[in-house]
Amino acid sequence: MENTANQPIGIFDSGIGGLTVAHAITQVLPLENIIYFGDTAHLPYGDKSTAAIQAYSVKICDMLLKQKVKAIVIACNSASAAAYELVREYVGSKAKVLNVIDPTIRYMGQHYAGQRVGLIGTKQTVFSNIYRKKTDELDRDITLCSLATPLLAPMIEEGFFNHNISQNIINEYLSSPVLADIQALILACTHYPLIKHDIESYYKENVQVLDSSLIVAESLQNLLAENNLLRTENPQPTKRFYVSDYTESFEHSTKYFFQEEVQLEHYPLWE
């Protein structure tokens, strides 16, 4: 079936961190229906193997395709690094596919040629070297300085942000010599927008902190427009939020990530 503008947008992440991307999408594209899937049964993806992440991603995309989505946004840096090419091949012409890495790389190429840019993310994202590889392919003389910050995502999941404990951990990471003399810092994890203020406080506005969620949302808008898939009217947009493993703590945390109350539905994809 050919995609139509009235079909929903599918978004998935290893957990609820991708709700920062989902929120940005609803702000940029308020007329669109969205379906979000958080694979909370397997979070975090940051310490999973490439093969495992690929298997999870394909199964989630299969579920989203059954929901007749017109586009799938991989709202997870680890899954974008490990599974984007496989997902794009698997989905084929059934839906447009967007990851969270390529739009950020394009933005960096447009604004930071010849400069030093820092990046913080999970071990999987950083050690995959996907950002470094794509940055080198830009041929814009950008020096990318990447640092794995594995404590940040679980810290945020547990609600430790805007707090003395979180600030101490953030300061410890950002003081690494790896990030010395950078002009900008990429937040290469969908959890990190929640600590963007703390990171900006550390740099005292001397470094531009790049939250990729808005960059991704605007890139999705352009992709849909190019393919005549933008919804032009919708009096009551719907938002569905599924998780593969439900706990009350996830429900409680969602309002921080999505910035409004969210009703989570348990979807036992792995049973």
Side-chain angles (χ1 to χ4, degrees):
M1 185 180 70
E2 185 178 349
N3 289 346
T4 71
N6 291 337
Q7 292 171 247
I9 295 167
I11 306 162
F12 80 89
D13 180 44
S14 60
I16 55 177
L19 287 170
T20 57
V21 177
H23 174 72
I25 289 171
T26 61
Q27 298 303 297
V28 173
L29 298 165
L31 299 179
E32 301 289 347
N33 296 331
I34 67 165
I35 298 172
Y36 180 90
F37 186 89
D39 189 13
T40 47
H42 293 122
L43 66 82
Y45 279 6
D47 58 7
K48 300 292 191 298
S49 70
T50 295
I53 295 170
Q54 289 176 342
Y56 301 153
S57 298
V58 166
K59 193 169 179 66
I60 293 166
C61 286
D62 198 44
M63 171 264 188
L64 291 172
L65 290 173
K66 288 176 181 174
Q67 304 280 336
K68 307 296 185 188
V69 297
K70 63 185 176 184
I72 294 175
V73 179
I74 307 175
C76 171
N77 278 271
S78 297
S80 291
Y84 170 64
E85 296 298 339
L86 181 65
V87 163
R88 193 170 63 166
E89 182 180 344
Y90 179 78
V91 171
S93 61
K94 296 172 189 171
K96 304 301 175 185
V97 180
L98 186 70
N99 64 50
V100 292
I101 295 175
D102 290 332
T104 306
I105 293 291
R106 283 194 296 271
Y107 183 91
M108 187 168 52
Q110 292 164 358
H111 296 88
Y112 295 101
Q115 299 187 52
R116 285 174 60 85
V117 177
L119 178 145
I120 55 174
T122 66
K123 289 180 180 178
Q124 213 286 337
T125 298
V126 171
F127 297 151
S128 73
N129 278 322
I130 188 74
Y131 273 94
R132 186 177 305 280
K133 179 175 176 289
K134 288 178 178 287
T135 300
D136 290 344
E137 288 170 356
L138 289 174
D139 197 23
R140 300 284 286 164
D141 192 29
I142 296 170
T143 301
L144 188 66
C145 311
S146 302
L147 180 71
T149 51
L151 290 179
L152 295 184
M155 175 189 82
I156 295 165
E157 291 272 5
E158 292 298 323
F160 284 99
F161 53 93
N162 301 324
H163 189 285
N164 287 341
I165 294 173
S166 62
Q167 192 69 63
N168 288 338
I169 294 172
I170 290 164
N171 291 356
E172 185 69 24
Y173 277 134
L174 298 183
S175 63
S176 168
V178 173
L179 299 176
D181 301 319
I182 57 173
Q183 280 75 53
L185 180 70
I186 298 170
L187 306 184
C189 175
T190 54
H191 286 63
Y192 296 179
L194 292 186
I195 54 171
K196 182 180 179 183
H197 176 72
D198 294 333
I199 293 170
E200 288 175 329
S201 295
Y202 175 85
Y203 285 117
K204 297 180 171 58
E205 299 184 359
N206 293 319
V207 170
Q208 185 176 4
V209 181
L210 302 178
D211 170 6
S212 62
S213 58
L214 186 59
I215 297 170
V216 171
E218 291 172 346
S219 183
L220 175 63
Q221 181 183 40
N222 293 335
L223 179 64
L224 295 179
E226 289 165 6
N227 290 277
N228 296 315
L229 290 173
L230 279 176
R231 190 154 191 167
T232 55
E233 56 181 338
N234 191 6
Q236 290 186 307
T238 60
K239 305 179 185 72
R240 302 290 297 272
F241 302 93
Y242 299 104
V243 288
S244 54
D245 181 41
Y246 176 83
T247 69
E248 287 187 8
S249 65
F250 292 141
E251 188 92 61
H252 177 71
S253 299
T254 53
K255 63 177 177 289
Y256 299 120
F257 289 91
F258 197 67
Q259 299 183 33
E260 63 182 76
E261 293 291 340
V262 166
Q263 183 75 39
L264 294 180
E265 299 180 53
H266 183 208
Y267 195 111
L269 188 60
W270 310 108
E271 294 178 8

